[in-house]
């Protein structure tokens, strides 16, 4: 029987996490200003980790990605080319929070000198420290390509390229968390690797829809939590029935025993939950999956070749 030893406690002290279920529209500048005001509201609850939704600075849709995309240029004077990057950094710094900045469409030019190479677009999440430094860049790994006849067809891959790295981020006062984006939540291997590498939470900015949302959103959040005995946060945009894509909403935080601690409805909202390392340890002590795994029967997906950003 194989056992995996995860350093304990995985969460060094309790921390409040807020999901901002944001209402965004077609005006990027207005979206950034609105996000800044809601991040302020979230921080005023005492939350030290604040999460924004997928594509929070634009409408969500393949038609919109190119026109809203930004090249990520951290150094001044690049505010005009990367307004979202700089706005997110300022939101984190001004509120002294870790900010998981939802996601934005990113335009990336290859460094190779090849005039024929087309630029790539990514669905990219930026995480900033409480002093406004960029800590991590996650490019959505699993693109949202589905077709459910009569209900929904969506093909992110018509426009976007996939990222190729897991994103695990160390927050010195708290511990390690993983960031991934929306459809990434459907892939349990990603979550399992993150958990076995010591994360206390999996955070997914997302935008499920009115077909799969009611069926799978909460279920997937609870599944990733119970499989891995850690916290899971899913942060959606608010629903706008006038937009081309109707987001499910229902941002939520799930605890390590798969209980939903807080859940929004479909409207704009901020949901806040306290994450406590004792609940992770209790879940793992009571149901000791970590020591019961049978890596003599099946492989440990967290070992071998794993592409992990920064670690
Ligand atoms: N933005 C997304 O990745 C949507 C994922 C989704 O709706 C699903 O059912 O999966």
């Amino acid at each position: 029987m194989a056992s995996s030893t995860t350093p304990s406690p995985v969460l060094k002290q309790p921390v409040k996490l807020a999901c901002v279920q944001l209402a965004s529209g077609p005006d990027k500048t207005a979206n950034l200003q609105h996000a800044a005001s809601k991040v302020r509201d979230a921080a005023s609850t005492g939350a030290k980790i604040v999460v924004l939704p997928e594509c929070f600075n634009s409408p969500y849709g393949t038609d919109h990605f190119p026109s809203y995309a930004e090249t990520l240029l951290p150094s001044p004077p690049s505010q005009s080319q990367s307004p979202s990057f700089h706005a997110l950094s300022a939101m984190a710094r001004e509120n002294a929070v870790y900010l998981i900045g939802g996601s934005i469409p990113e335009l990336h030019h290859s460094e190779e000198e090849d005039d024929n190479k087309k630029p790539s677009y990514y669905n990219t999440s930026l995480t900033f420290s409480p002093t406004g430094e960029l800590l991590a860049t996650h490019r959505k790994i699993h693109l949202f390509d589905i077709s459910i006849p009569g209900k929904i067809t969506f093909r992110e891959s018509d426009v976007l390229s996939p990222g190729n790295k897991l994103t695990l981020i160390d927050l010195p006062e708290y511990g390690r968390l993983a960031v991934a984006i929306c459809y990434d939540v459907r892939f349990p291997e990603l979550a399992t690797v993150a958990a076995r590498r010591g994360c206390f939470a999996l955070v997914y900015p997302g935008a499920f829809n009115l077909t799969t949302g009611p069926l799978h959103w909460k279920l997937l959040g609870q599944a990733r939590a119970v499989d891995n005995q850690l916290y899971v946060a899913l942060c959606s945009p608010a629903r706008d029935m006038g937009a081309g894509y109707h987001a499910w909403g229902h941002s939520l935080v799930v605890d390590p025993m798969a209980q939903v601690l807080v859940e929004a409805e479909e409207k704009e909202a901020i949901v806040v939950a306290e994450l406590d390392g004792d609940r992770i340890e209790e879940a793992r002590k009571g149901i000791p999956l970590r020591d019961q795994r049978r890596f003599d029967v099946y492989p440990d997906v967290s070992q071998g070749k794993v592409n992990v950003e920064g670690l």
Side-chain angles (χ1 to χ4, degrees):
M1 199 165 305
S3 90
S4 66
T5 47
T6 307
S8 175
V10 288
L11 176 54
K12 296 177 193 167
Q13 57 173 314
V15 59
K16 277 191 186 174
L17 178 148
C19 292
V20 178
Q21 184 163 295
L22 197 71
S24 299
D27 180 339
K28 191 200 270 191
T29 306
N31 292 337
L32 293 176
Q33 284 168 355
H34 187 51
S37 120
K38 291 292 167 185
V39 168
R40 206 173 306 128
D41 291 350
S44 74
T45 68
K48 296 293 177 206
I49 302 174
V50 178
V51 188
L52 288 169
E54 183 175 25
C55 286
F56 78 94
N57 71 355
S58 68
Y60 180 60
T62 48
D63 292 350
H64 301 295
F65 294 139
S67 50
Y68 285 83
E70 295 178 23
T71 306
L72 303 178
L73 297 172
S75 324
S78 58
Q79 270 85 343
S80 57
Q81 284 149 291
S82 308
S84 304
F85 182 102
H86 291 281
L88 288 166
S89 167
M91 288 176 222
R93 190 179 61 247
E94 285 163 15
N95 297 290
V97 294
Y98 288 101
L99 180 62
I100 298 164
S103 77
I104 61 171
E106 177 197 352
L107 170 62
H108 181 78
H109 295 275
S110 162
E111 276 150 29
E112 290 157 35
E113 298 231 348
D114 177 354
D115 291 342
N116 297 322
K117 188 149 174 33
K118 283 204 217 139
S120 305
Y121 295 100
Y122 296 95
N123 188 340
T124 300
S125 179
L126 304 171
T127 296
F128 290 88
S129 76
T131 52
E133 279 166 287
L134 180 69
L135 292 180
T137 301
H138 178 78
R139 290 175 168 157
K140 190 173 188 175
I141 299 172
H142 305 93
L143 296 181
F144 177 43
D145 284 1
I146 66 167
S147 182
I148 305 177
K151 302 276 189 193
I152 177 169
T153 296
F154 205 100
R155 282 187 55 83
E156 279 190 321
S157 66
D158 284 347
V159 178
L160 300 180
S161 301
N164 54 18
K165 285 186 183 140
L166 260 66
T167 302
L168 309 185
I169 308 170
D170 284 332
L171 317 183
E173 315 87 310
Y174 303 114
R176 183 173 292 174
L177 55 71
V179 173
I181 302 175
C182 202
Y183 199 59
D184 285 335
V185 75
R186 289 191 179 272
F187 297 85
E189 294 88 343
L190 186 161
T192 299
V193 172
R196 299 220 188 123
R197 294 198 174 200
C199 289
F200 66 86
L202 309 171
V203 179
Y204 299 91
F208 270 43
N209 55 82
L210 300 191
T211 300
T212 59
L215 290 170
H216 298 156
W217 171 260
K218 191 188 298 186
L219 177 71
L220 285 164
Q222 290 181 299
R224 297 296 84 89
V226 78
D227 280 352
N228 297 295
Q229 300 178 305
L230 45 51
Y231 287 94
V232 173
L234 305 182
C235 184
S236 170
R239 191 177 308 160
D240 174 1
M241 293 309 285
Y245 184 88
H246 303 148
W248 172 235
H250 291 265
S251 298
L252 50 81
V253 180
V254 188
D255 82 359
M257 288 294 274
Q259 290 188 83
V260 176
L261 297 179
V262 283
E263 179 178 356
E265 297 184 346
E266 76 282 3
K267 296 184 293 291
E268 189 163 65
I270 296 173
V271 290
V272 184
E274 179 159 282
L275 317 189
D276 184 342
D278 287 350
R279 289 176 85 152
I280 299 175
E281 300 309 323
E282 271 162 36
R284 292 179 178 184
K285 198 166 165 222
I287 308 177
L289 304 178
R290 275 182 304 181
D291 305 320
Q292 295 169 335
R293 294 217 152 83
R294 294 290 307 276
F295 295 135
D296 55 329
V297 177
Y298 45 76
D300 178 355
V301 294
S302 69
Q303 298 303 317
K305 185 181 175 306
V306 180
N307 288 343
V308 181
E309 165 92 5
L311 296 170

